[in-house]
Amino acid sequence: MSPKLTVELLRQLRLAMKNCKYFPEPIQAYIIPSGDAHQSEYIAPCDCRREFICGFNGSAGTAIVTEQHAAMWTDGRYFLQASQQMDNNWTLMKMGLKETLSQEDWLISVLPENSKVGVDPWIIAADQWKNMSKALSSAGHSLVAVQDNLIDAVWQDRPPRPSTQLMTLGLERTGVSWQDKITALRAKMRERKINWFVATALDEIAWLFNLRGSDIEYNPVFFAYSIVGVTTIRLFVDLKRLADPAARQHLQLDGPKGPELSIQVFPYESAHTELQAVCASLGPRDKVWICDKASCALTQTIPKPHRSPIPYTPLCLAKAVKNSTEIQGMKTAHIKDAVALCELFAWLEKEIPKGTVTEISSADKAEEFRSQQKDFVGLSFPTISSVGPNGAIIHYTPLPETNRTLSLNEVYLIDSGAQYRDGTTDVTRTVHFGTPSAYEKECFTYVLKGHIAVSAAVFPNGTKGHLLDSFARAALWEAGLDYLHGTGHGVGCFLNVHEGPCGISYKTFADEPLEAGMIVSDEPGYYEDGSFGIRLENVVLVVPSKPKYNYINRGSLTFEPLTLVPIQVKMMNTDMLTQKERDWVNNYHRQCLETVGAELRRQGRKEALDWLIRESQPIA
Amino acid sequence: MSPKLTVELLRQLRLAMKNCKYFPEPIQAYIIPSGDAHQSEYIAPCDCRREFICGFNGSAGTAIVTEQHAAMWTDGRYFLQASQQMDNNWTLMKMGLKETLSQEDWLISVLPENSKVGVDPWIIAADQWKNMSKALSSAGHSLVAVQDNLIDAVWQDRPPRPSTQLMTLGLERTGVSWQDKITALRAKMRERKINWFVATALDEIAWLFNLRGSDIEYNPVFFAYSIVGVTTIRLFVDLKRLADPAARQHLQLDGPKGPELSIQVFPYESAHTELQAVCASLGPRDKVWICDKASCALTQTIPKPHRSPIPYTPLCLAKAVKNSTEIQGMKTAHIKDAVALCELFAWLEKEIPKGTVTEISSADKAEEFRSQQKDFVGLSFPTISSVGPNGAIIHYTPLPETNRTLSLNEVYLIDSGAQYRDGTTDVTRTVHFGTPSAYEKECFTYVLKGHIAVSAAVFPNGTKGHLLDSFARAALWEAGLDYLHGTGHGVGCFLNVHEGPCGISYKTFADEPLEAGMIVSDEPGYYEDGSFGIRLENVVLVVPSKPKYNYINRGSLTFEPLTLVPIQVKMMNTDMLTQKERDWVNNYHRQCLETVGAELRRQGRKEALDWLIRESQPIA
């Protein structure tokens, strides 16, 4: 991986920063966040502005360019990758390390007095704008909205915004019609005396209307906004997409309809002006809900007395708790996904000794096996297929120049998942095809202990996921080890593989309590720079638990693994496991064997079945 | 315990709320927080306004009175106590339960449109003012500052503000002179380009000047403010206290002194006007540090552009990390405290069968044994001495009408501590003098497992205490049990028994990372309403740990118990303990025996020594 050369780009950007065509006065710094106007984590090529300017293409990072400096902040998953992708015009700011300055503090430390810091108000979230603006003002600087994006101004061949075909999902997939979802949303609005709700997150809009798209790779979403009032529904999309009769029928755009559940459609670009029109008609006490993570531009369109920002929208909360149709779909998807992975591992065992399997070809093979499964749509994120030292790059994606050959001598980590029409998967297994070292086994076993500690945890109703994070780390900590990422994220149902508002991470405090029906990942790891990476990830469903007692009738919860792929026993130092942990492993493997075995038999996949049977044998 | 009758008081308060002598317009609600003008947790009798108006005398709680309603918010420690102390004019608002409205939401739900909500701006913290004001405005109401306290207006025989003699502490107690503390504070100010620092927390002022007082029971502090500039030091206290030659000498008020380290003294009441004078002289870029938990009145005295609010002051942070002199003092104090408790338990065993020991007489006896120890000053908080069902009232203090007799049939919980000139103690033991039931043992053992899980935890440098909270709960959770309080708080050195900025609680996220030298409590519990309470508390010191590995050279920490009082083996179901837990108990008891045994021998306390030897026997 050679770094992107950015001398010329930075020169042009700095010229634009002084060009009064974009802002009346010169700006001394320009912030390039990684998101799009919907604050998406994964973004379309036309929105990859931070990657364009600095070369780093991980999913999280913010670049800031001043007249003298260029710096890029990212988290522990990406330290290695970012340092390899950026040239020496850029300083890597390692978030989460004590010595690393925050963006605000760094700006204050490098800016001349009375500086202007520019940002595209559509790309920066309202809450980030607020914090940044406050910090800068307190030091005598100011944050200013530059309406034309300065990266776009220097980006010669920027791709167009995608507009893919919409896919409609019926009740057999979603369990709830979009009409009922609108009605439930309005009930929440009534409860809180809210008159309008502005939806800006693409997965929330897709979920609300039971529609999917493929505008953004890996995430089955489409570019849209929606404004829901007490009696009106506005949907903003590229109108060409609505020529499709299936979509028109699904949204009931033609023919008779009740007035409160009829959708008015508008071009995608008119969300701003329509919101202005809505706001112009507000009564003195009318309130508009908008997520505090929505864009600063759209948020500030709502006059402050009418604005009611919320950390998580009612759609985000409703979407997180899967209904029984969705849970069944997720289970089915995970069984198919496990079939594909059993195939992959059986195939790898056979092929690796020939010395022809690489990180890329293994990832491709995994995709091939997945694509053979019913209702496969695509991958849910770029496959992390990493051998030996590449495994220590937490969100590594193999490139031709880094592509390493799988061998009998190195640890192999594969973190992959798919979108099926019935659900989304995300699974990580770390395996060795030869003989792992005692140290590799030791580290793997700490990670396994952490994985089990979370998966088997019993906790009261109302517990927030961040309170479980330390369970995943206790065994590593005791050995003096750790990992620099959270333990789990929410997972959508045929939607984004990362979703809020729940998760398991030391970094969040504002997460919503876990509830039965929520689905999260459980994925502790350990990474030894230059040597190997270990991660063990299952997607797990929050389910009621029935412990011995029921303190003040609060009820208890635990997790049920949806991912059903054996965990390699060869990588375990089973002497380090407690009896309870051994029982967990054996019980898990029995479930894998029963459920996935039956499907492998049904699909007549003999080799994969043999592999599954062998890998699911109980440990003593 | 019979509830306080409040009909007449509420009538008078409601009249005052409409009296234009206090505020030009009638106010529809009045908030009575529990603190004083220094936001102290424990307060002097003259500041017990919330207790005066509603009867509830726990350490935490906020009362709000409207024209129609009176409600009082407190946390899980106090639910039972508050419900017993308040009459039916009051609604108990149980904080931490999902269904309980916040103060803001409750006000919004009960107030007529456009209401004014009054509060004494000296009593409410600036951050609370801000949040409350914002929430009320968003609903069309307003929070207003009522300068005269309305409780004082209806409180006939309100006691005067105390002004006790100041005690000076030399280097042999503090390790660092007040001059060096001022210099270190100014270095922090320079680093952050801060010109002034306003100290309002009583323990911070006591710590800074190496002075102690006894204005507030249990907390060796004195009423004061301080304003530290780059070249000046202002101390605001009742000037009568400075007639004492020892205090004058200690503060170097007379004779020659360097200008930068000379203290100007002012009357306590003049802090406000002096701060106004300081602020009037500020340069355009001058900044003033003040804790965001300082009073709204004092905070708002600083013009906003100059105000730099911080969640924890540099004094709070410096005070939390004990130096070697303080650590040695805390260790000595805890050995003496253990001697007193060994005496108590030996005495209880002998006396209880006679049927004459009550909760109150046991607490008194504990105080008597403590008072026999060198440098004893007083208790560090009201002793919680509780038998059977009283143990389930988390912060119970025995009163004549609730006083229960200790017997061979009920669990006894004693949570007590003292102030010695060398340190502060806080210890809880739960014991049974007869035969505990299998269920009591089971619950005790879950609590013990939680206590050990925290005490033995190894965690990386930089870890915040709240990340350890779940370790204390895991065993209870697995059985479906829990406790409704945090697991630990910071402990001062001959200072407040509760101090920030560190702690171990699911409720906090803004705590500062644990550092070697910090001292916290480790006190999980379990409470069965109407039956018994269990809590197991040691004060523990954060110390470096040397695990097998040292991930990215971060270093690791663990805890060393300072409290050295045996944990009753009779209460344990040792079959439920892992080998590691058994080893921890045996190792802990060996330390108790060695360290406290030597002191008991030195003091010639034979019966207590015999008790200690018997109670420290290893478990199999």
Side-chain angles (χ1 to χ4, degrees), chain A residues 572-613:
Chain A
M572 301 175 197
N573 177 341
T574 52
D575 293 343
M576 289 165 56
L577 297 178
T578 63
Q579 189 54 48
K580 223 169 117 181
E581 288 163 343
R582 268 184 276 248
D583 291 346
W584 185 93
V585 170
N586 290 338
N587 184 46
Y588 177 70
H589 281 163
R590 194 172 52 244
Q591 283 178 267
C592 294
L593 184 57
E594 282 174 17
T595 311
V596 182
E599 181 65 17
L600 283 166
R601 258 182 216 103
R602 211 188 54 77
Q603 297 192 16
R605 297 181 183 264
K606 177 78 177 66
E607 283 184 27
L609 180 61
D610 289 346
W611 179 88
L612 173 65
I613 292 168

Side-chain angles (χ1 to χ4, degrees), chain A residues 97-98 105 113-114 130 134 137-140 192 285 287 305 439 442-443 446 456 458-460 462-463 466-471 473-474 477-484 505-510 513 515 526-527 529 547-552 554 556 580, chain B residues 97-98 105 113-114 130 134 137-140 192 285 287 305 439 442-443 446 456 458-460 462-463 466-471 473-474 477-484 505-510 513 515 526-527 529 547-552 554 556 580:
Chain A
L97 301 193
K98 210 177 169 176
D105 287 343
E113 289 195 358
N114 258 313
K130 198 172 154 186
K134 199 172 158 186
S137 332
S138 80
R192 287 287 179 163
R285 293 189 166 275
K287 292 278 173 193
Y439 180 60
E442 182 186 352
C443 294
Y446 295 135
V458 175
F459 47 92
T463 302
H466 74 262
L467 291 171
L468 308 180
D469 185 75
S470 304
F471 290 161
R473 298 176 201 273
W477 280 356
E478 197 169 341
L481 305 178
D482 198 7
Y483 54 95
L484 297 180
S505 175
Y506 63 98
K507 284 180 287 191
T508 327
F509 193 61
E515 270 182 61
Y526 176 70
Y527 310 92
D529 277 1
K548 194 166 171 187
Y549 305 110
N550 186 10
Y551 178 60
I552 53 171
R554 271 204 294 184
S556 289
K580 223 169 117 181
Chain B
L97 301 193
K98 213 176 167 175
D105 288 344
E113 289 197 359
N114 258 313
K130 198 172 155 185
K134 200 172 158 185
S137 328
S138 82
R192 287 291 179 158
R285 292 187 168 275
K287 290 278 174 194
Y439 181 57
E442 182 186 351
C443 294
Y446 295 136
V458 175
F459 49 91
T463 302
H466 73 261
L467 291 170
L468 308 180
D469 185 74
S470 304
F471 290 161
R473 298 177 201 272
W477 281 355
E478 197 169 341
L481 305 178
D482 196 7
Y483 54 96
L484 297 181
S505 176
Y506 63 98
K507 285 179 285 191
T508 328
F509 193 60
E515 269 183 61
Y526 175 69
Y527 310 92
D529 277 359
K548 194 166 172 186
Y549 305 110
N550 185 9
Y551 178 60
I552 54 170
R554 270 203 295 182
S556 289
K580 224 170 116 182

Side-chain angles (χ1 to χ4, degrees), chain B residues 395-514:
Chain B
H395 270 205
Y396 172 82
T397 312
L399 296 171
E401 60 268 35
T402 64
N403 196 16
R404 215 173 162 89
T405 301
L406 275 69
S407 78
L408 301 180
N409 306 317
E410 291 186 312
V411 171
Y412 178 58
L413 182 160
I414 178 163
D415 183 351
S416 60
Q419 299 286 0
Y420 301 91
R421 278 176 193 246
D422 35 17
T424 303
T425 66
D426 181 0
V427 46
T428 310
R429 288 294 179 268
T430 304
V431 294
H432 202 295
F433 295 97
T435 307
S437 73
Y439 181 57
E440 287 162 347
K441 287 170 68 171
E442 182 186 351
C443 294
F444 182 93
T445 309
Y446 295 136
V447 173
L448 173 64
K449 282 170 164 283
H451 179 91
I452 296 173
V454 169
S455 196
V458 175
F459 49 91
N461 262 316
T463 302
K464 293 181 170 192
H466 73 261
L467 291 170
L468 308 180
D469 185 74
S470 304
F471 290 161
R473 298 177 201 272
L476 284 161
W477 281 355
E478 197 169 341
L481 305 178
D482 196 7
Y483 54 96
L484 297 181
H485 59 73
T487 301
H489 52 81
V491 179
C493 179
F494 185 27
L495 262 177
N496 294 358
V497 73
H498 294 164
E499 68 169 26
C502 56
I504 304 174
S505 176
Y506 63 98
K507 285 179 285 191
T508 328
F509 193 60
D511 51 333
E512 288 290 313
L514 293 169

Side-chain angles (χ1 to χ4, degrees), chain B residues 202-218:
Chain B
L202 300 186
D203 61 339
E204 295 182 15
I205 296 166
W207 177 86
L208 178 62
F209 292 105
N210 292 334
L211 287 172
R212 299 293 186 269
S214 50
D215 289 1
I216 295 182
E217 204 179 358
Y218 311 115

